[in-house]
């Protein structure tokens, strides 16, 4: 039986290959890789609005079908956790990263800005919708479906959107995610030829360590709060979560971790009714780990490219992404794929082009930490489960 290579190892291989190709092969061959990467990024730009329509529509349509007060409480806690994680990540990153993203590194990167390789040719595949139109359309259809289905209209449109979501999911799993290594490889070929790579890599490993530490500290605080509210030992709750955390590290998928996470919730003493409701719901809406990673990576990329960034630009981005990431598919890299259309809110219209090199660096930086972000997401789900279970037993069930 052949053992499949995970996405993170593939991307690490792609980065290494990109560096080797850019360092040792002639420019003519390097431009072949850059051309292929460019064609893929054009296709990605075409697919992104369709992803938003498909996933956000179904996320909202399904989200509103549920258990009244408990649904509102769970969604509010999950959204607040995601927002707090992102804001805290920016505050920590903006204070720590400038210490190792110094003027010397910035000068090395700036000196290479005009050395990029050009493609042999490019394809024009205009998106059917722009990003904002896709978001608005998804919200309109999703909200209307959640309120009207089974009352004023039948299930025809819901089933159509569900099938459309399945089609986009198939494209994501069979084309976008498998070809991401090509995208990243082309980016690092260009970066190596232009001299950017070694200046940037000297920064990335430090960013990685800071992000992992933020995940672990945020999880400890979540379980401390859950333990305080439920009057349970936070250390025991954290120990109970270890199987779920390690499963998420291996699968890189919140959805794939649900069965194990349900067992962790049972060990936490969360009743069957609540754990069967909260764990699958939060697997789709609670993205604190992903938000911490995306915000930290965006801050690092802005500092490396001398782009302006402030809490005033980050907060609207976090608030928007906190809703949009409901659409994140249960696949490796799903969160950053959902975030790509909104990066212009931080990077600006030109630098935030999903087709551009800055977003490609952002994808590479995020994906290397994706499994840890997913593990933080799913572990936080059970902290929320403990809190919701306490609310249910004290105020709703009573």
């Amino acid at each position: 039986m052949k053992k499949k290579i995970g996405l993170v190892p593939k991307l690490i291989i792609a980065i290494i290959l990109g560096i080797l190709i850019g360092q040792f092969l002639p420019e003519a061959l390097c431009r072949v890789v850059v051309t292929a990467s460019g064609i893929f990024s054009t296709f990605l730009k075409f697919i992104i609005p369709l992803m938003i329509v498909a996933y956000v529509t179904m996320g909202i349509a399904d989200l509103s079908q549920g258990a009244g007060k408990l649904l509102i409480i769970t969604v509010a806690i999950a959204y607040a956790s995601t927002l707090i994680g992102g804001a805290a990540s920016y505050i920590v990153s903006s204070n720590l990263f400038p210490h190792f993203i110094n003027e010397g590194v910035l000068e090395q990167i700036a000196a290479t800005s005009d050395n990029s390789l050009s493609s042999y040719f490019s394809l024009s595949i205009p998106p059917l919708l722009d990003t904002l139109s896709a978001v608005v359309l998804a919200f309109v259809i999703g909200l209307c479906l959640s309120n009207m289905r089974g009352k004023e209209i039948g299930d025809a449109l819901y089933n159509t959107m569900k099938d459309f979501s399945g089609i986009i999911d198939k494209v994501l799993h069979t084309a976008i995610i498998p070809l991401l290594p090509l995208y990243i490889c082309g980016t690092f070929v260009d970066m190596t030829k232009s001299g950017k790579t070694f200046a940037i890599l000297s920064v990335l490993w430090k960013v990685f360590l800071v992000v992992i530490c933020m995940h672990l500290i945020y999880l400890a605080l979540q379980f401390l709060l859950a333990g305080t509210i439920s009057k349970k030992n936070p250390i025991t709750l954290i120990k109970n979560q270890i199987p779920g955390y390690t499963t998420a590290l291996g699968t890189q998928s919140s959805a794939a971790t649900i069965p194990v996470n349900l067992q962790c919730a049972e060990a936490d003493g969360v009743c069957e009714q609540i754990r069967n409701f909260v764990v699958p719901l939060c697997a789709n809406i609670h993205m604190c780990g992903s938000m911490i990673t995306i915000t930290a990576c965006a801050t690092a990329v802005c500092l490396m490219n001398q782009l302006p960034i402030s809490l005033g630009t980050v907060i609207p981005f976090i608030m928007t992404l906190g809703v949009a990431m409901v659409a994140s598919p249960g696949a490796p890299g799903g969160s950053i794929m959902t975030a790509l259309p909104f990066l212009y809110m931080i990077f600006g219209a030109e630098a935030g082009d999903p087709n551009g090199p800055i977003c490609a660096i952002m994808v590479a930086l995020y994906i290397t930490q994706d499994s840890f972000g997913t593990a933080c997401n799913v572990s936080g789900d059970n902290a929320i489960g403990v809190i919701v279970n306490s609310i249910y037993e004290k105020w709703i069930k009573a």
Side-chain angles (χ1 to χ4, degrees):
M1 183 177 177
K2 290 184 179 179
K3 188 176 180 180
K4 290 185 177 180
I5 302 175
L7 183 60
V8 170
K10 285 180 181 177
L11 289 177
I12 292 172
I13 292 169
I15 290 171
I16 294 170
L17 281 176
I19 294 170
L20 293 175
I21 291 169
Q23 189 75 19
F24 298 109
L25 293 186
E27 183 175 316
L29 290 177
C30 292
R31 287 179 64 191
V32 171
V33 181
V34 170
T35 300
S37 178
I39 292 171
F40 170 77
S41 64
T42 303
F43 177 64
L44 177 63
K45 195 174 182 180
F46 172 81
I47 290 293
I48 281 172
L50 302 181
M51 278 179 54
I52 293 172
V53 172
Y55 291 126
V56 175
T57 298
M58 290 309 300
I60 295 172
D62 288 335
L63 199 59
S64 296
Q65 309 292 322
K69 292 179 182 177
L70 283 177
L71 173 67
I72 295 170
I73 291 167
T74 306
V75 170
I77 294 172
Y79 187 61
S81 172
T82 302
L83 296 188
I84 292 168
S89 175
Y90 170 73
I91 292 168
V92 172
S93 302
S94 61
N95 282 286
L96 283 184
F97 291 174
H99 292 293
F100 51 82
I101 303 177
N102 52 44
E103 288 185 11
V105 173
L106 294 176
E107 286 173 5
Q108 291 177 46
I109 296 171
T112 65
S113 59
D114 297 323
N115 299 338
S116 293
L117 295 173
S118 59
S119 300
Y120 282 115
F121 65 92
S122 60
L123 296 178
S124 177
I125 312 176
L128 299 177
L129 293 166
D130 61 45
T131 301
L132 185 58
S133 298
V135 171
V136 172
L137 179 62
F139 271 76
V140 169
I141 297 175
L143 289 171
C144 288
L145 280 175
S146 68
N147 288 311
M148 297 172 68
R149 185 163 67 96
K151 302 169 187 174
E152 300 171 61
I153 61 173
D155 291 334
L157 181 57
Y158 176 86
N159 291 333
T160 299
M161 293 306 300
K162 189 173 184 179
D163 288 344
F164 178 59
S165 179
I167 290 170
I168 297 300
D169 199 48
K170 187 74 171 176
V171 171
L172 193 77
H173 283 77
T174 58
I176 302 296
I177 298 297
L179 288 175
L180 269 179
L182 170 64
Y183 182 37
I184 302 305
C185 181
T187 300
F188 273 85
V189 168
D190 184 27
M191 285 167 52
T192 303
K193 255 319 184 205
S194 62
K196 291 186 183 76
T197 293
F198 297 105
I200 290 176
L201 287 181
S202 67
V203 172
L204 297 193
W205 72 270
K206 298 172 186 175
V207 172
F208 183 87
L209 287 180
V210 171
V211 170
I212 301 307
C213 288
M214 284 195 286
H215 287 162
L216 296 176
I217 292 169
Y218 195 66
L219 273 180
L221 292 174
Q222 284 181 313
F223 279 108
L224 180 62
L225 178 62
T228 303
I229 292 173
S230 65
K231 295 182 171 55
K232 294 178 180 177
N233 188 337
I235 303 298
T236 302
L237 296 177
I238 291 172
K239 286 180 180 177
N240 291 342
Q241 188 55 43
I242 290 174
Y245 187 90
T246 53
T247 300
L249 282 179
T251 63
Q252 293 177 256
S253 168
S254 298
T257 310
I258 288 174
V260 177
N261 228 24
L262 286 169
Q263 294 174 0
C264 296
E266 184 177 6
D268 290 337
V270 178
C271 70
E272 184 178 2
Q273 180 183 353
I274 297 301
R275 68 174 180 264
N276 287 344
F277 169 72
V278 171
V279 171
L281 176 63
C282 285
N284 290 292
I285 67 172
H286 184 224
M287 301 292 174
C288 62
S290 298
M291 187 67 82
I292 287 170
T293 307
I294 288 171
T295 306
C297 292
T299 304
V301 169
C302 282
L303 290 170
M304 283 189 287
N305 291 277
Q306 295 181 296
L307 297 171
I309 184 170
S310 68
L311 198 59
T313 57
V314 169
I315 291 298
F317 170 75
I318 293 171
M319 293 180 72
T320 304
L321 198 56
V323 176
M325 282 202 301
V326 170
S328 297
S335 294
I336 192 61
M337 290 296 100
T338 304
L340 272 180
F342 304 101
L343 290 176
Y344 75 90
M345 298 174 71
I346 291 183
F347 297 156
E350 185 177 347
D353 180 2
N355 210 24
I358 289 178
C359 284
I361 295 170
M362 178 77 185
V363 170
L365 184 52
Y366 176 88
I367 290 290
T368 58
Q369 301 164 81
D370 183 41
S371 57
F372 292 93
T374 302
C376 183
N377 291 342
V378 300
S379 298
D381 295 350
N382 275 344
I384 292 175
V386 172
I387 293 170
V388 173
N389 189 70
S390 297
I391 293 171
Y392 173 70
E393 290 183 343
K394 291 178 182 177
W395 289 291
I396 297 178
K397 188 178 178 180

